[in-house]
């Protein structure tokens, strides 16, 4: 069976879920050699390639414009406008933003929050899925349905009580509050996904382990964990990125300089209308760099998505 | 033998529940209780300090006669067009071109790079992208500069500041944000399709368009449902881009339910009213999701 699941925790940042157990890269779909050579000729293919490439360039144009203007001095920008090449390699916009928001601090906050959430949510997902998918505890269909539902909830429906409770217990404006909230929100998706993966886990393997005298914990740790590790590592990567990109709850929960994340810091400063265009672009540029690095490292995983087919 | 299973069973059940315990406790504390409490708050008047005062359904009757409420939900429909309808159609064509045309005429790396480019906006913080777009669309921003450079300066606008242009402009940005998602999902789905189907169709003289209609669209129908459902929910929840681009303005022409709830909670301190907006939004999302699932199940049964 193939499970297609796509979490909806963030408005824009969605995610790829690959239903088939690993799809070949499109280019690898090789027709029979004779057929292939028949269709690879002709100038028409270049026209199509150019059209699609132009579309792709349009998609990255905002980033190119950002790059172009991140290295301009404000006076250069005001005299020559947004389209000219910088007259000098001006890096003060970058350093201004870096110091103004204490960027290393923000980067550390984002890494701590996203990293903790990614690992904790994956652990919780695995434990939940072990009980639901392998243990098949009573009412598991309803429980999984509940987690699926939780996954669709708008954060607005939770935010005020969370904000209020966090204030009551002294967790307001702490990273811990955001870590706990997103551990639960991300693991709602992880539980849903992993439960369906583990439901199809070969019973014979579990039976064999049990006959060898393995305890429940050993089955989880020595059998299920190693086998599902590829899926788990994909979950860790996705949870990290989704949490990194989260905006609404961090905006509400984190109000001081020492706790805010990279995206919240940029949005807050922009909201104060304190930044000129080059500084805005420089700020956006250094806010995006960690994501771009992450994207380049995990490009294949991210674009090919979660492999949920478990019949291998 | 049977006595052994009987005695072992209760123990087994209990020990699986212990694995579920941490998750269940966290879920209750962070999702179930806040959700219920929010529904309770929607029946009260409260500024966030002191005790909430129970007012019954007052906030809901207030909501339905509030012009802003209807505007924000009308804008949700615009967001669905921009985040579901348009990206799904464009994504379908792009995925089919990348997979069934370029994928067979160029090396795989060409297609991989193009696919990654389309996907890039999806993995970046949408707020940061929104801020870049906000600058590009400013009256003195890059769009107007480009228009002037190519002699169309008369078309220059205050794209996000003019009430008649703001919503269409935001919609275009949302298309840009979303486009990579259907492309990636559809391409992954096409990887599952037997290449011989395409080859046979091609040898029979079916052109690209005929193959798109006869093979691609029917084959990836399950993914189309998933994309449509998840994007519709994302469109109903959209917050970050609105916050970064327009803050709901000008004159509320780009206000959406989530931003409306946010300002009501935290700027107007009208917590009961904010909770009512959030509850209605939740209800709509749940209904939309349930509707989709029923529709999909029915369609699958028809196919079978």
């Amino acid at each position: 069976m193939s499970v297609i699941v796509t979490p909806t925790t963030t408005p824009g940042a969605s995610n790829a879920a690959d239903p088939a157990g690993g799809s070949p890269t499109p280019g690898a779909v090789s027709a029979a050699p004779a057929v292939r050579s028949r269709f690879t000729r002709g100038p028409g293919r270049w026209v199509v390639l150019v059209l699609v490439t132009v579309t792709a360039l349009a998609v990255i144009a905002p980033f190119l414009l950002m790059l172009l203007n991140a290295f301009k001095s404000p006076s250069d920008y005001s005299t020559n406008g947004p389209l000219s090449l910088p007259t000098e390699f001006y890096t003060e916009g970058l350093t201004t933003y870096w110091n103004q928001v204490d960027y290393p601090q923000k980067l550390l906050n984002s890494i701590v929050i996203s990293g903790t959430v990614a690992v904790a949510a994956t652990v919780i997902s695995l434990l939940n899925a072990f009980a639901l998918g392998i243990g098949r505890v009573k009412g598991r269909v309803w429980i999984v349905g509940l987690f699926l539902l939780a996954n669709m909830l708008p954060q607005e429906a939770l935010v005020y009580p969370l904000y209020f409770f966090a204030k009551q217990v002294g967790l307001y404006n702490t990273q811990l509050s955001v870590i706990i909230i997103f551990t639960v929100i991300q693991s709602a998706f992880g539980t849903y996904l992993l439960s369906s993966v583990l439901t199809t886990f070969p019973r014979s393997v579990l039976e064999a382990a049990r006959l060898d005298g393995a305890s429940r914990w050993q089955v989880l740790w020595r059998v299920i964990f190693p086998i599902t590790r590829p899926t788990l590592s994909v979950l860790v990567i996705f949870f990290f990125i989704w949490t990194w990109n989260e905006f609404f709850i961090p905006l509400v929960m984190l109000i001081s300089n020492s706790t805010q994340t990279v995206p919240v810091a940029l949005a807050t400063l922009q909201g104060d209308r304190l930044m000129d265009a080059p500084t805005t672009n420089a700020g956006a540029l250094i806010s995006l760099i960690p994501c771009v690095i992450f994207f380049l490292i995990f490009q294949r995983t991210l674009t090919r998505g979660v492999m949920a087919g478990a019949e291998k | 033998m049977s006595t052994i299973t009987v005695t072992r069973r209760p123990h087994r059940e209990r020990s699986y529940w212990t694995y579920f315990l941490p998750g269940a406790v966290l879920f209750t504390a962070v999702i179930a209780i806040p959700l219920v409490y929010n529904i309770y708050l929607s029946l009260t008047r409260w500024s966030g300090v002191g005790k909430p005062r129970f007012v019954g359904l007052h906030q809901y009757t207030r909501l339905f006669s509030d012009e802003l409420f209807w505007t924000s939900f009308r804008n949700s429909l615009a967001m669905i067009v921009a985040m579901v309808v348009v990206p799904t159609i464009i994504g379908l064509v792009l995925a089919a071109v990348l997979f069934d045309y370029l994928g067979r005429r160029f090396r795989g790396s060409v297609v991989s790079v193009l696919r990654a480019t389309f996907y890039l906006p999806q993995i970046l913080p949408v707020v940061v992208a929104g801020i870049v777009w906000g600058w590009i669309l400013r009256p003195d921003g890059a769009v107007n500069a480009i228009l002037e450079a190519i002699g169309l300066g008369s078309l220059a606008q205050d794209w996000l500041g003019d009430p008649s242009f703001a919503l269409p402009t935001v919609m275009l940005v949302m298309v840009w944000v979303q486009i990579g998602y259907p492309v990636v999902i559809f391409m992954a789905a096409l990887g599952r399709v037997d290449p011989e189907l395409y080859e046979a169709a091609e040898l029979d003289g079916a052109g690209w368009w005929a193959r798109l209609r006869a093979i691609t669209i029917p084959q990836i129908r399950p993914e189309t449902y998933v994309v449509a459902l998840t994007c519709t929910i994302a469109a109903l929840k959209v917050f970050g881009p609105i916050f970064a681009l327009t803050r709901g303005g000008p004159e509320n022409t780009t206000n959406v339910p989530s931003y409306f709830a946010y300002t009501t909670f935290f700027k107007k301190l009208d917590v009961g009213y904010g909770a009512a907006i959030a509850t209605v939004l939740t209800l709509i999302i749940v209904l939309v999701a349930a509707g989709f699932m029923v529709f999909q199940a029915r369609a699958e049964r028809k196919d079978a």
Side-chain angles (χ1 to χ4, degrees):
Chain A
M1 77 163 247
S2 58
V3 188
I4 320 155
V5 231
T6 327
T8 49
T9 46
T10 46
S14 306
N15 16 88
D18 180 351
S23 55
T25 45
V29 179
S30 51
V35 178
R36 191 182 178 86
S37 62
R38 232 188 82 199
F39 291 104
T40 41
R41 291 197 207 106
R45 66 188 184 126
W46 292 104
V47 177
V48 177
L49 182 67
V50 166
L51 280 175
V52 177
T53 308
V54 167
T55 317
L57 280 176
V59 169
I60 53 167
F63 301 117
L64 299 178
L65 284 167
M66 173 190 75
L67 213 56
L68 191 64
N69 288 281
F71 299 102
K72 271 183 202 171
S73 67
S75 60
D76 183 3
Y77 180 81
S78 56
T79 42
N80 297 320
L83 299 180
S84 67
L85 286 170
T87 49
E88 51 166 335
F89 190 70
Y90 181 86
T91 54
E92 218 164 288
L94 289 173
T95 49
T96 307
Y97 183 79
W98 183 282
N99 297 326
Q100 205 168 354
V101 304
D102 192 3
Y103 186 73
Q105 173 77 59
K106 300 296 187 294
L107 195 61
L108 184 70
N109 292 344
S110 274
I111 291 171
V112 167
I113 290 174
S114 309
T116 317
V117 168
V119 174
T122 307
V123 170
I124 298 282
S125 304
L126 182 62
L127 292 177
N128 286 350
F130 183 57
L132 298 168
I134 301 283
R136 310 209 169 177
V137 296
K138 261 194 209 116
R140 70 186 173 87
V141 176
W142 288 101
I143 297 172
V144 171
L146 211 62
F147 276 81
L148 176 63
L149 195 69
N151 207 31
M152 297 176 194
L153 290 179
Q155 292 175 358
E156 288 74 18
L158 310 172
V159 74
Y160 205 89
L162 288 173
Y163 164 81
F164 183 68
F165 297 152
K167 276 195 159 171
Q168 300 281 305
V169 296
L171 283 176
Y172 180 60
N173 197 22
T174 64
Q175 277 122 320
L176 185 60
S177 64
V178 176
I179 289 172
I180 295 172
I181 292 169
F182 284 112
T183 296
V184 180
I185 290 179
Q186 310 293 28
S187 71
F189 169 70
T191 303
Y192 170 67
L193 176 80
L194 279 178
S195 296
S196 52
V197 170
L198 291 188
T199 310
T200 61
F201 197 88
R203 291 267 132 185
S204 53
V205 177
L206 297 174
E207 235 12 83
R210 217 162 281 156
L211 286 175
D212 286 346
S215 71
R216 198 140 292 145
W217 171 250
Q218 282 169 325
V219 168
L220 174 61
W221 181 237
R222 297 271 167 82
V223 180
I224 292 173
F225 175 69
I227 293 181
T228 52
R229 213 154 81 180
T231 312
L232 295 179
S233 51
V234 171
L235 277 186
V236 170
I237 294 168
F238 272 103
F239 289 168
F240 187 90
I241 294 208
W242 297 339
T243 310
W244 188 285
N245 292 348
E246 275 296 340
F247 179 65
F248 181 59
I249 284 183
L251 176 75
V252 171
M253 288 288 179
L254 307 174
I255 47 159
S256 70
N257 267 323
S258 58
T259 54
Q260 278 176 345
T261 60
V262 171
V264 174
L266 183 68
T268 314
L269 205 62
Q270 184 245 9
D272 297 341
R273 313 257 170 227
L274 292 173
M275 288 191 292
D276 51 58
T279 315
T280 304
N281 280 296
L285 176 63
I286 46 178
S287 301
L288 290 181
I289 283 173
C291 302
V292 173
I293 292 172
F294 215 74
F295 179 66
L296 292 177
I297 298 172
F298 294 108
Q299 196 260 112
R300 286 183 71 81
T301 320
L302 288 165
T303 51
R304 285 177 57 186
V306 182
M307 287 184 275
E311 63 271 78
K312 272 186 241 161
Chain B
M1 185 66 204
S2 67
T3 44
I4 296 172
T5 25
V6 168
T7 48
R8 273 181 66 191
R9 239 234 183 94
H11 171 68
R12 219 191 241 181
E13 274 276 315
R14 209 183 314 138
S15 77
Y16 273 116
W17 278 111
T18 50
Y19 287 91
F20 187 53
L21 194 67
V25 169
L26 282 169
F27 185 89
T28 310
V30 174
I31 292 179
I33 293 175
L35 185 65
V36 173
Y37 194 60
N38 185 71
I39 294 173
Y40 162 72
L41 286 179
S42 75
L43 304 173
T44 68
R45 190 193 304 255
W46 192 35
S47 66
V49 284
K51 278 191 88 170
R53 194 160 62 82
F54 190 80
V55 292
L57 292 174
H58 169 73
Q59 305 288 17
Y60 291 92
T61 51
R62 203 180 139 198
L63 200 58
F64 292 118
S65 55
D66 186 344
E67 193 59 43
L68 192 48
F69 170 79
W70 295 106
T71 308
S72 73
F73 278 92
R74 242 194 330 270
N75 289 342
S76 278
L77 292 180
M79 289 299 130
I80 289 173
V81 171
M83 292 175 69
V84 188
V85 181
V86 176
T88 306
I89 294 169
I90 299 178
L92 184 70
V93 172
L94 274 177
V97 167
L98 285 172
F99 184 87
D100 181 32
Y101 191 90
L102 294 179
R104 296 203 277 157
R105 286 161 179 80
F106 291 93
R107 273 180 299 135
S109 55
V110 174
V111 173
S112 294
V113 167
L114 287 169
R115 177 181 58 176
T117 310
F118 289 120
Y119 195 59
L120 188 66
Q122 281 278 298
I123 59 109
L124 301 175
V126 71
V127 176
V128 178
I131 286 167
V132 173
W133 272 110
W135 159 72
I136 289 175
L137 293 162
R138 263 167 29 174
D140 61 341
V143 167
N144 286 346
I146 291 171
L147 286 173
E148 258 150 49
I150 59 173
L152 294 171
S154 56
L155 293 178
Q157 299 291 342
D158 183 359
W159 298 100
L160 293 169
D162 184 328
S164 48
F165 284 99
L167 185 62
T169 307
V170 170
M171 287 171 74
L172 279 177
V173 175
M174 293 321 296
V175 171
W176 175 86
V177 169
Q178 283 295 104
I179 195 71
Y181 176 60
V183 170
V184 166
I185 298 260
F186 289 157
M187 284 184 74
L190 287 172
R192 198 190 51 198
V193 180
D194 186 353
E196 280 182 18
L197 266 179
Y198 282 103
E199 283 155 32
E202 207 162 353
L203 288 172
D204 284 347
W208 182 83
W209 180 247
R211 294 200 302 276
L212 176 74
R213 286 188 39 193
I215 305 175
T216 307
I217 292 175
Q219 289 285 335
I220 64 174
R221 201 188 294 160
E223 283 77 8
T224 315
Y225 282 123
V226 173
V227 167
L229 173 60
T230 53
C231 292
T232 304
I233 292 175
L236 289 168
K237 293 201 236 180
V238 67
F239 176 83
I242 300 294
F243 184 94
L245 287 170
T246 61
R247 310 260 155 134
E251 295 162 27
N252 286 313
T253 45
T254 61
N255 210 337
V256 289
S258 62
Y259 191 77
F260 183 30
Y262 168 77
T263 48
T264 311
F265 276 134
F266 297 105
K267 304 287 171 222
K268 295 183 187 145
L269 305 178
D270 195 351
V271 179
Y273 198 46
I277 302 164
T279 305
V280 171
L281 178 61
T282 307
L283 209 63
I284 290 175
I285 288 176
V286 170
L287 287 177
V288 166
F292 255 102
M293 283 166 188
V294 169
F295 180 72
Q296 184 183 4
R298 202 171 285 167
E300 268 171 11
R301 224 174 296 136
K302 217 178 271 173
D303 285 350

